[in-house]
Amino acid sequence: MDFLALSPLERQYEVEQLLARYVHCIDDDRLEAWPEFFTRRCDYRIVARENAERGLPLATIACDSRGMLEDRVVSLRNANIYGWHRYRHLVGSVLLLEVHAEEIVARSHYAVFRTRGEGVGETYSVGTYDDHIVFDEGQLRFRAKLVTYDTHRIDSLLATPL
Amino acid sequence: MTAFAFDLPWPRPASGCAVPYAVFTAQEVFAVEQARIFRGPHWSFVGLAVEVPAPGDFKTTYVGAVPVILLRDRDGELVVLENRCAHRGALVCRELRGRQSRLACVYHQWTYDLHGRLLGVPFRGGIEGRGGMPADFDPAAHNLNRLRVACLHGLVFASFDHDVEPLEDYLGEMVVASIARLCARPLKLLGDQRQFMRGNWKLYAENTRDPYHASLLHLFHTTFGLYRSSQQGATLMDPRHRHTMLYTKAATSSATVDAEVYQDVRSYDTRFKLADPSLLAGRKEFDDGITLVILSVFPNLVLQQIANTLAVRQLCPRDAASFELVWTQFGYADDDAEMDAIRLKQANLIGPAGFVSMEDGEAVEIVQRAVAEAGDAHSYVAMGGGRAEDAAHLVTESAIIGFWEAWRAAMGVPES
């Protein structure tokens, strides 16, 4: 796919569809399919904005391969202990910042509402997605996805990815 | 010290130790802790010196539940001030971090120097002969409250009690040596993570003094073959049992012993292999072979080495049922690019999303929820023999018992 050959409307549609599929995958708890949204070598990072704004490199989750994403899922399913919860991601304000023949750079806003075991909901995480999107092995994938969260005081813990 | 402000009967089981759940839930206990521990003769950790590298740099944080400012003055000295205007009590610094040549309260523009001395009061002399402060107003009597400060290898501690014993005496030999081992080189800041836990801060103090849970709650170790309780390790305390050091040495465990020990334990599962084991790629950094240190310093600090991750964790109690845990990860100023990359990748292990730490948030909260209305009920702590003794192993809760001895001594809770 040559992104430059698409109309602006088509590009916007493709990117928003990818983002929608991505958040539905997580929110439907189909985590085993989640790594497939990324290229084999990738850069997935969840970073507190207080670090990003100081130029500090620490990420809360940092994966540089699809294998690391798979390990995260295996660990969540088999090793880690955390309370039952469900996410609903809302993604919006999707801006295509750069369009190249083989890559689109997009920024969007996200908010995640988390419902916990007793049915209590809360705004869990709010921030931005900075995505580098490529056409890879027949589908659109994230070569890089940087999740920068404004809500830097994480409530309890972070298990399910953002 | 006056008697404890209210009745807190302390059960004495025939063996082991019992902790009444009221210590985790009663707001009265929290209030006495603020006075006797956090504003009392103890040293609280407030940050790393490298967080405020230049004159005027400040960060806001807490000692107990009290907001304070850690800053560096014009001469490069570290200063900690209570973040409360001497006039009407407003926060003087409202930002998390910044750089200021002086401190000004936005409410009425009372202005202080970097030592907290009151410099100016607007309209002190009134306007056109009207208003103004009384003639006997003495600015020197209205400074910001300045805490005592001490810095050890870049770790900054503060105390409200100016008569507190010197920091190194307070910490004791074991803690001083352990801090020196990890921090006696210039540090490089990697970043912060903040975690809000809906539980009492002492549940986390127990957690970091509890090697018993490590391989049972944190299953990542065992699932992927990182850590076994049968590894060589130890549980050590200072003579007053305030502080605890847990450590393990790698590669002293055998597969046969593991299989026996974990025969009936749900966490033992070798079916899983990491798809990308680069997570665990590390570098040997210390000649002593120690790959894991959890150093808990009373009341509010944990200094840790887990493989190549180095971090301080600062406990900021908010009320009886919640606290914030601030993780500050660091490396060394002379780390090369590869070492930076190792530390940042291994950072996946720790913090609020850490493979080997996220469970502590859950553990703290499930206790808090269960003990919220527990009446006179209490826990039972006896693994390892039920006494506050050092152990040359990790199958023990002795350091938790030590913590409660130290807590009761600090709080003035008598034997009942």
Side-chain angles (χ1 to χ4, degrees), chain B residues 53-170:
Chain B
D57 283 352
F58 71 85
K59 85 158 191 177
T60 53
T61 182
Y62 294 87
V63 169
V66 177
V68 300
I69 309 161
L70 165 64
L71 61 82
R72 195 176 286 275
D73 75 8
R74 289 168 197 276
D75 301 322
E77 293 301 311
L78 293 160
V79 175
V80 175
L81 303 169
E82 196 170 341
N83 191 3
R84 192 182 67 229
C85 185
H87 174 215
R88 296 257 298 280
L91 288 173
V92 175
C93 278
R94 293 137 62 231
E95 299 84 21
L96 200 50
R97 299 181 185 83
R99 184 175 294 173
Q100 300 275 3
S101 56
R102 51 191 198 163
L103 306 170
C105 176
V106 293
Y107 200 171
H108 303 89
Q109 299 282 339
W110 284 36
T111 304
Y112 305 87
D113 72 8
L114 295 179
H115 289 175
R117 289 179 293 233
L118 183 59
L119 293 175
V121 172
F123 311 136
R124 181 179 167 187
I127 298 176
E128 295 175 355
R130 291 186 289 187
M133 297 297 276
D136 63 354
F137 173 67
D138 175 14
H142 299 277
N143 297 328
L144 298 180
N145 187 22
R146 187 171 173 181
L147 281 69
R148 190 166 162 195
V149 177
C151 184
L152 180 64
H153 299 306
L155 274 61
V156 188
F157 295 83
S159 180
F160 278 95
D161 185 343
H162 286 259
D163 298 323
V164 65
E165 64 189 306
L167 177 65
E168 297 201 11
D169 295 347
Y170 174 83

Side-chain angles (χ1 to χ4, degrees), chain B residues 76-376:
Chain B
E77 293 301 311
L78 293 160
V79 175
V80 175
L81 303 169
E82 196 170 341
N83 191 3
R84 192 182 67 229
C85 185
H87 174 215
R88 296 257 298 280
L91 288 173
V92 175
C93 278
R94 293 137 62 231
E95 299 84 21
L96 200 50
R97 299 181 185 83
R99 184 175 294 173
Q100 300 275 3
S101 56
R102 51 191 198 163
L103 306 170
C105 176
V106 293
Y107 200 171
H108 303 89
Q109 299 282 339
W110 284 36
T111 304
Y112 305 87
D113 72 8
L114 295 179
H115 289 175
R117 289 179 293 233
L118 183 59
L119 293 175
V121 172
F123 311 136
R124 181 179 167 187
I127 298 176
E128 295 175 355
R130 291 186 289 187
M133 297 297 276
D136 63 354
F137 173 67
D138 175 14
H142 299 277
N143 297 328
L144 298 180
N145 187 22
R146 187 171 173 181
L147 281 69
R148 190 166 162 195
V149 177
C151 184
L152 180 64
H153 299 306
L155 274 61
V156 188
F157 295 83
S159 180
F160 278 95
D161 185 343
H162 286 259
D163 298 323
V164 65
E165 64 189 306
L167 177 65
E168 297 201 11
D169 295 347
Y170 174 83
L171 296 175
E173 272 177 41
M174 176 189 80
V175 174
V176 169
S178 189
I179 290 174
R181 176 179 172 276
L182 289 174
C183 303
R185 296 159 61 188
L187 304 183
K188 176 179 358 186
L189 208 56
L190 297 180
D192 288 351
Q193 291 164 317
R194 294 162 192 273
Q195 190 171 9
F196 183 72
M197 296 197 194
R198 296 154 193 254
N200 185 273
W201 69 277
K202 298 185 297 301
L203 292 172
Y204 197 75
E206 286 190 326
N207 178 281
T208 63
R209 288 165 173 83
D210 169 20
Y212 179 29
H213 86 283
S215 65
L216 300 169
L217 175 69
H218 302 300
L219 307 182
F220 182 85
H221 291 115
T222 40
T223 302
F224 293 103
L226 260 178
Y227 168 90
R228 308 275 189 274
S229 262
S230 46
Q231 280 180 324
Q232 186 184 331
T235 305
L236 307 174
M237 283 170 279
D238 73 305
R240 288 178 289 189
H241 299 169
R242 288 171 170 171
H243 322 303
T244 299
M245 181 168 71
L246 313 177
Y247 73 84
T248 64
K249 293 184 177 185
T252 53
S253 167
S254 84
T256 326
V257 172
D258 289 339
E260 286 168 13
V261 169
Y262 283 92
Q263 208 160 18
D264 296 314
V265 175
R266 67 196 158 106
S267 64
Y268 192 65
D269 194 336
T270 52
R271 283 186 296 141
F272 300 107
K273 295 278 177 283
L274 289 174
D276 184 347
S278 68
L279 171 66
L280 304 180
R283 241 192 231 176
K284 187 175 177 191
E285 284 194 86
F286 300 97
D287 292 335
D288 55 18
I290 292 174
T291 55
L292 181 144
V293 175
I294 304 291
L295 179 74
S296 299
V297 179
F298 190 89
N300 77 328
L301 169 67
V302 178
L303 171 65
Q304 66 135 81
Q305 171 208 352
I306 296 177
N308 294 113
T309 66
L310 308 173
V312 284
R313 310 177 196 167
Q314 180 193 5
L315 270 159
C316 302
R318 199 185 70 165
D319 55 29
S322 68
F323 66 92
E324 181 176 347
L325 185 65
V326 184
W327 302 67
T328 302
Q329 297 199 37
F330 61 88
Y332 301 117
D334 60 359
D335 282 346
D336 57 25
E338 185 185 283
M339 197 67 206
D340 285 344
I342 288 170
R343 294 198 205 283
L344 291 170
K345 184 171 272 198
Q346 289 188 0
N348 285 292
L349 294 170
I350 65 167
F355 282 126
V356 305
S357 61
M358 73 168 82
E359 290 84 9
D360 293 324
E362 178 71 1
V364 162
E365 296 195 358
I366 59 176
V367 176
Q368 192 74 29
R369 284 166 60 191
V371 304
E373 294 295 338
D376 295 334

Side-chain angles (χ1 to χ4, degrees), chain A residues 50 65 71-72 80 155-156, chain B residues 194-195 198 275-276 353 365:
Chain A
E50 68 163 320
S65 72
D71 291 336
R72 177 67 61 171
N80 295 123
D155 192 348
S156 303
Chain B
R194 294 162 192 273
Q195 190 171 9
R198 296 154 193 254
D276 184 347
E365 296 195 358

Side-chain angles (χ1 to χ4, degrees), chain A residues 39-115:
Chain A
T39 55
R40 281 181 191 284
R41 300 304 307 173
C42 60
D43 179 12
Y44 173 69
R45 271 179 295 146
I46 300 179
V47 174
R49 195 170 301 282
E50 68 163 320
N51 291 332
E53 287 180 346
R54 286 186 291 163
L56 296 178
L58 181 68
T60 299
I61 291 179
C63 301
D64 61 8
S65 72
R66 196 187 287 162
M68 283 191 77
L69 301 170
E70 291 164 2
D71 291 336
R72 177 67 61 171
V73 174
V74 171
S75 186
L76 289 177
R77 296 294 197 211
N78 299 287
N80 295 123
I81 306 287
Y82 47 91
W84 182 92
H85 63 278
R86 173 165 280 159
Y87 282 175
R88 291 295 167 202
H89 281 75
L90 299 184
V91 179
S93 309
V94 182
L95 268 184
L96 273 56
L97 300 177
E98 294 174 35
V99 179
H100 308 283
E102 297 183 345
E103 181 169 283
I104 289 175
V105 181
R107 169 171 293 182
S108 49
H109 293 165
Y110 77 87
V112 174
F113 300 92
R114 183 179 65 174
T115 303

